[in-house]
Amino acid sequence: MYKIINIKRLKKDLINYNKINIKKYKEIITYNYKKIIIILGPCSLSNIKEFYFYIKNIKKIKTNIKIIIRIYYEKPRTNIGWKGFIYDPYLDNSNCVIDGIYMIRKLIIKILNLNLNLATECLNFYFLNFFIDCISWVCIGARTMNSQLHREYCSNINSIIGIKNDLSGKLCYLNDFKISLINKHFYICFNSLKKVFSKGNKNFQFVLRGSNLPNYNYSIVKKISNSLIIDCSHSNSFKNPIFQLFVFENTYNQFKYYKNNINGMMFESYINFGNQNILNKYKNLSVTDSCINFYFLKLILFKLNEFKNN
């Protein structure tokens, strides 16, 4: 991999910063501390300048909440469509993948220098290897959570793994992924043909994102004994961004008043409300899934901070 592209290495202080924060998140998950992790950002990265403006505004919010920034450079597709910034950083079908890798790596290091942690989704293992030293939380999406290759790969990395329920909504598949993830594997590394013996990864969270119906209600949550992230978007909000606020309110009350394993929430948020098509005619607007805007995000963070300070 590194023989093909020479990427900028992390400085020692950033490496240590990332390791320390991953350790803190692992403690929350392992010991079920009454702390909440918020994972937020747009559905997909599409504009470096706008995204960094969004990040700097989040940084200005005074809060004690543990925030992880979503930097989703790939876009999972049910069939076809725009596959994400890393494939097409100029949104013109030029397929400048090498440019995409360099641009994302540079952006990630800038964000780490703001003392923020990062999350991404694992679709293509080859791409993730260019960024994994910077990533605290790796999501396995609804379309890939049944993949044996993803399970083996994630069993060999240090980051926390967020496992989304699949599109059918059958929660038994979450346990299948969990069993595979925490166990040791032997496989051939896909980019170097070297033998890999993984140790297993016991640091994971289930992510409830809904299916045909929402699945964040207490009757489902109380049955799950593993650390949980509630995805306030996708099928839980019927893909209507304003409904993320209703999911948040319900989840917040469960977290505050009930004994359960909720340790976090995920939001699709950006500068402006809603979305647009890939022609990208409007500034500060998602080109994939609809997002809540910065105003609503601030309301959510202030509400969570109120609980934190009580």
Side-chain angles (χ1 to χ4, degrees), residues 28-277:
I28 293 172
I29 293 166
T30 303
Y31 300 109
N32 194 24
Y33 292 149
K34 199 67 174 176
K35 295 183 180 180
I36 200 156
I37 301 166
I38 300 300
I39 303 172
L40 53 87
C43 171
S44 300
L45 172 66
S46 61
N47 183 298
I48 293 284
K49 185 176 179 180
E50 290 178 4
F51 187 81
Y52 192 65
F53 174 75
Y54 167 79
I55 298 302
K56 293 203 75 172
N57 276 279
I58 288 174
K59 187 65 180 175
K60 292 176 184 177
I61 300 175
K62 303 301 181 183
T63 176
N64 294 317
I65 304 302
K66 294 185 180 300
I67 293 175
I68 301 179
I69 303 297
R70 291 165 48 120
I71 183 161
Y72 282 24
Y73 49 79
E74 294 179 272
K75 172 64 179 172
R77 312 304 321 198
T78 300
N79 40 61
I80 59 171
W82 185 68
K83 294 200 298 181
F85 187 90
I86 199 164
Y87 289 96
D88 185 22
Y90 305 112
L91 278 70
D92 60 359
N93 293 316
S94 55
N95 299 317
C96 297
V97 176
I98 305 301
D99 287 7
I101 292 171
Y102 276 117
M103 292 162 74
I104 293 164
R105 179 78 183 181
K106 183 178 179 181
L107 173 65
I108 282 174
I109 293 174
K110 283 181 70 176
I111 295 172
L112 286 180
N113 277 307
L114 294 176
N115 293 326
L116 290 167
N117 299 116
L118 295 168
T120 195
E121 183 169 350
C122 178
L123 290 177
N124 187 315
F125 314 109
Y126 181 79
F127 291 146
L128 185 55
N129 276 308
F130 290 108
F131 316 116
I132 192 62
D133 58 328
C134 308
I135 303 297
S136 300
W137 196 89
V138 174
C139 183
I140 301 298
R143 294 167 183 79
T144 50
M145 65 90 65
N146 286 311
S147 163
Q148 180 62 26
L149 294 177
H150 283 76
R151 295 174 180 184
E152 291 175 352
Y153 178 84
C154 289
S155 74
N156 196 44
I157 61 179
N158 186 50
S159 306
I160 296 161
I161 309 299
I163 312 164
K164 282 195 175 183
N165 66 264
D166 82 327
L167 296 174
S168 75
K170 293 182 179 179
L171 300 184
C172 61
Y173 295 144
L174 290 170
N175 283 311
D176 291 341
F177 196 112
K178 164 191 167 181
I179 292 167
S180 182
L181 178 70
I182 66 178
N183 279 282
K184 299 176 182 180
H185 291 276
F186 162 73
Y187 58 96
I188 301 298
C189 187
F190 59 91
N191 62 342
S192 64
L193 299 181
K194 293 181 179 178
K195 296 178 182 178
V196 175
F197 293 89
S198 71
K199 296 180 180 179
N201 187 345
K202 296 181 180 180
N203 303 291
F204 64 90
Q205 296 178 283
F206 289 165
V207 182
L208 300 185
R209 50 89 71 198
S211 55
N212 294 326
L213 293 172
N215 61 5
Y216 61 87
N217 52 299
Y218 181 66
S219 62
I220 293 174
V221 167
K222 69 179 182 180
K223 297 176 183 178
I224 298 176
S225 59
N226 300 110
S227 177
L228 275 175
I229 294 275
I230 303 299
D231 183 352
C232 295
S233 56
H234 294 101
S235 295
N236 276 337
S237 65
F238 298 101
K239 298 187 177 182
N240 185 331
I242 197 66
F243 290 167
Q244 289 189 59
L245 301 181
F246 302 139
V247 182
F248 161 70
E249 183 178 18
N250 183 293
T251 305
Y252 173 75
N253 287 328
Q254 288 188 58
F255 173 76
K256 187 173 181 179
Y257 297 112
Y258 288 100
K259 185 177 180 180
N260 54 44
N261 290 294
I262 292 175
N263 281 131
M265 288 180 253
M266 178 183 289
F267 299 95
E268 288 191 331
S269 71
Y270 203 41
I271 302 163
N272 290 330
F273 186 91
N275 66 340
Q276 62 180 318
N277 61 35

